[in-house]
Amino acid sequence: MVCHPLNIDVSSLKYIDMKPIVSIIMGSTSDLPVMEKACRWLNDNEIPFEMNALSAHRTPDAVESFAKNARNRGIKVIIAAAGMAAALPGVIAANTILPVIGVPIKGMLDGLDALLSIVQMPPGIPVATVNVNGAQNAAILAAQIIALSDEMVAAKVAAWKVGLGAKIEKANAELAAIKDYRYKTN
């Protein structure tokens, strides 16, 4: 049993209605190897999501329509991946009131080009930004935003964070058991 700090058994918390509350958008399927980490995290935590390929440059009308209609469809947070020119997160943010999280994809300049494109949005068009190829962090941030008004997601995020501490405690125990070094003092 994985418990929330308030002793709630989170393994019993499931969304019955499988309408997506997080939307993962990528410029093309070439971004999928990076964005799979967000999909996996949301899936493992039983948070309904959708994923689509939309291009700010090749399908601008579709991006605008998606962004303007996402909230009415029940989407609460949008995660947008982008490489190189990285226009997708900003174009989406310009067309919705929903929070948008940009994931810069490592490209020609090790992702610096995408990172700088996403973080330099003009006033009034904020895009939260995670690390280069940081799809899992984007999923966690999306869940934390949703957790502000959804106790089920809050419990799942809290339980996951408790698990992080347990992993470090286990790692320290494993390190303490290593006796191969003559001058190791712990």
Side-chain angles (χ1 to χ4, degrees):
M1 174 171 75
V2 179
C3 286
H4 177 274
L6 300 175
N7 294 323
I8 299 169
D9 179 2
V10 296
S11 62
S12 65
L13 300 176
K14 297 187 188 302
Y15 274 94
I16 295 170
D17 184 9
M18 287 293 286
K19 292 181 182 168
I21 58 174
V22 176
S23 187
I24 298 173
I25 306 300
M26 47 198 116
S28 73
T29 56
S30 66
D31 298 332
L32 186 57
V34 170
M35 297 311 293
E36 280 180 322
K37 292 178 184 105
C39 299
R40 196 169 301 116
W41 194 92
L42 292 167
N43 192 68
D44 290 350
N45 287 282
E46 299 174 334
I47 299 171
F49 67 96
E50 65 181 15
M51 60 179 167
N52 292 290
L54 294 168
S55 170
H57 300 108
R58 294 175 292 234
T59 60
D61 294 338
V63 170
E64 183 179 347
S65 177
F66 160 80
K68 287 182 176 179
N69 294 305
R71 184 170 178 246
N72 292 335
R73 294 187 308 104
I75 300 299
K76 298 184 184 308
V77 180
I78 299 168
I79 299 171
M84 295 185 278
L88 186 59
V91 171
I92 291 172
N95 287 288
T96 187
I97 64 167
L98 294 174
V100 176
I101 303 168
V103 179
I105 301 292
K106 189 173 185 176
M108 297 185 329
L109 300 175
D110 284 336
L112 183 60
D113 49 346
L115 176 66
L116 292 175
S117 292
I118 297 171
V119 299
Q120 296 187 67
M121 295 306 302
I125 312 296
V127 174
T129 308
V130 295
N131 50 309
V132 173
N133 287 1
Q136 181 176 342
N137 274 349
I140 296 164
L141 180 56
Q144 289 176 313
I145 292 167
I146 293 166
L148 293 170
S149 62
D150 185 322
E151 284 302 315
M152 188 174 358
V153 174
K156 288 176 181 287
V157 171
W160 186 81
K161 289 213 172 200
V162 167
L164 287 178
K167 286 180 184 178
I168 296 301
E169 289 171 12
K170 181 181 179 216
N172 272 323
E174 290 170 358
L175 291 173
I178 295 173
K179 304 294 183 202
D180 298 344
Y181 304 102
R182 197 166 120 199
Y183 291 95
K184 181 176 174 272
T185 61
N186 64 338

